[in-house]
Amino acid sequence: MKGFTLNDRLNVGSLAFDIQTEIRNGKIIGEILSGGKVVKKVEVAASNNPIEAVRNTHQRLKESLLERL
């Protein structure tokens, strides 16, 4: 599968974070960015249901960020 990406922006006070999760080279790549710099990156193997894997990874990234703020 190619071409499936999820993007969110999370603003907390004066802080802004971009969360991007996509399928790239047969892997699910998730990143949290702030100020254009990657502050967290995860890579997981694509599963039989890559769209669901992207959604789950994206949700876990958001939850992880919110726990730390």
Side-chain angles (χ1 to χ4, degrees):
M1 157 153 287
K2 293 173 84 174
F4 185 73
T5 303
L6 290 177
N7 294 288
D8 277 311
R9 174 161 265 219
L10 181 62
N11 295 304
V12 179
S14 63
L15 300 173
F17 297 93
D18 293 304
I19 304 166
Q20 178 177 329
T21 310
E22 65 184 335
I23 299 169
R24 188 185 320 151
N25 298 326
K27 294 181 182 176
I28 309 299
I29 309 293
E31 297 175 329
I32 299 174
L33 301 100
S34 182
K37 295 182 182 179
V38 176
V39 295
K40 181 173 179 95
K41 180 177 182 176
V42 297
E43 293 185 28
V44 296
S47 67
N48 291 337
N49 189 345
I51 292 174
E52 188 64 27
V54 167
R55 288 184 178 133
N56 288 340
T57 302
H58 193 78
Q59 184 62 34
R60 285 194 308 266
L61 279 172
K62 285 196 293 189
E63 291 169 358
S64 172
L65 178 59
L66 288 171
E67 287 173 2
R68 287 170 171 69
L69 295 176

PDB file of all heavy atoms in Angstrom, residues 1-4 23:
ATOM      1  N   MET A   1       0.842  -1.173   0.000  1.00  0.00           N
ATOM      2  CA  MET A   1       0.000   0.000   0.000  1.00  0.00           C
ATOM      3  C   MET A   1       0.887   1.235   0.000  1.00  0.00           C
ATOM      4  O   MET A   1       1.881   1.283   0.688  1.00  0.00           O
ATOM      5  CB  MET A   1      -0.907  -0.012   1.219  1.00  0.00           C
ATOM      6  CG  MET A   1      -1.378   1.374   1.578  1.00  0.00           C
ATOM      7  SD  MET A   1      -2.926   1.499   2.433  1.00  0.00           S
ATOM      8  CE  MET A   1      -4.079   1.129   1.187  1.00  0.00           C
ATOM      9  N   LYS A   2       0.493   2.237  -0.757  1.00  0.00           N
ATOM     10  CA  LYS A   2       1.200   3.511  -0.804  1.00  0.00           C
ATOM     11  C   LYS A   2       0.202   4.641  -0.643  1.00  0.00           C
ATOM     12  O   LYS A   2      -0.960   4.512  -0.965  1.00  0.00           O
ATOM     13  CB  LYS A   2       1.908   3.669  -2.150  1.00  0.00           C
ATOM     14  CG  LYS A   2       3.038   2.697  -2.373  1.00  0.00           C
ATOM     15  CD  LYS A   2       3.561   2.802  -3.759  1.00  0.00           C
ATOM     16  CE  LYS A   2       4.565   3.915  -3.836  1.00  0.00           C
ATOM     17  NZ  LYS A   2       5.240   4.000  -5.116  1.00  0.00           N
ATOM     18  N   GLY A   3       0.694   5.759  -0.119  1.00  0.00           N
ATOM     19  CA  GLY A   3      -0.083   6.978  -0.160  1.00  0.00           C
ATOM     20  C   GLY A   3      -1.106   7.192   0.929  1.00  0.00           C
ATOM     21  O   GLY A   3      -2.026   7.965   0.728  1.00  0.00           O
ATOM     22  N   PHE A   4      -0.962   6.551   2.090  1.00  0.00           N
ATOM     23  CA  PHE A   4      -1.898   6.811   3.185  1.00  0.00           C
ATOM     24  C   PHE A   4      -1.148   7.511   4.311  1.00  0.00           C
ATOM     25  O   PHE A   4      -0.176   6.985   4.843  1.00  0.00           O
ATOM     26  CB  PHE A   4      -2.535   5.519   3.688  1.00  0.00           C
ATOM     27  CG  PHE A   4      -3.585   5.756   4.734  1.00  0.00           C
ATOM     28  CD1 PHE A   4      -4.818   6.284   4.381  1.00  0.00           C
ATOM     29  CD2 PHE A   4      -3.349   5.470   6.067  1.00  0.00           C
ATOM     30  CE1 PHE A   4      -5.797   6.523   5.340  1.00  0.00           C
ATOM     31  CE2 PHE A   4      -4.311   5.695   7.030  1.00  0.00           C
ATOM     32  CZ  PHE A   4      -5.538   6.217   6.659  1.00  0.00           C
ATOM     33  N   ILE A  23       2.628   5.381   5.660  1.00  0.00           N
ATOM     34  CA  ILE A  23       3.237   4.153   5.163  1.00  0.00           C
ATOM     35  C   ILE A  23       4.364   4.573   4.238  1.00  0.00           C
ATOM     36  O   ILE A  23       4.148   5.329   3.282  1.00  0.00           O
ATOM     37  CB  ILE A  23       2.213   3.288   4.406  1.00  0.00           C
ATOM     38  CG1 ILE A  23       1.075   2.894   5.331  1.00  0.00           C
ATOM     39  CG2 ILE A  23       2.902   2.064   3.804  1.00  0.00           C
ATOM     40  CD1 ILE A  23      -0.089   2.263   4.614  1.00  0.00           C
TER      41      ILE A  23
END
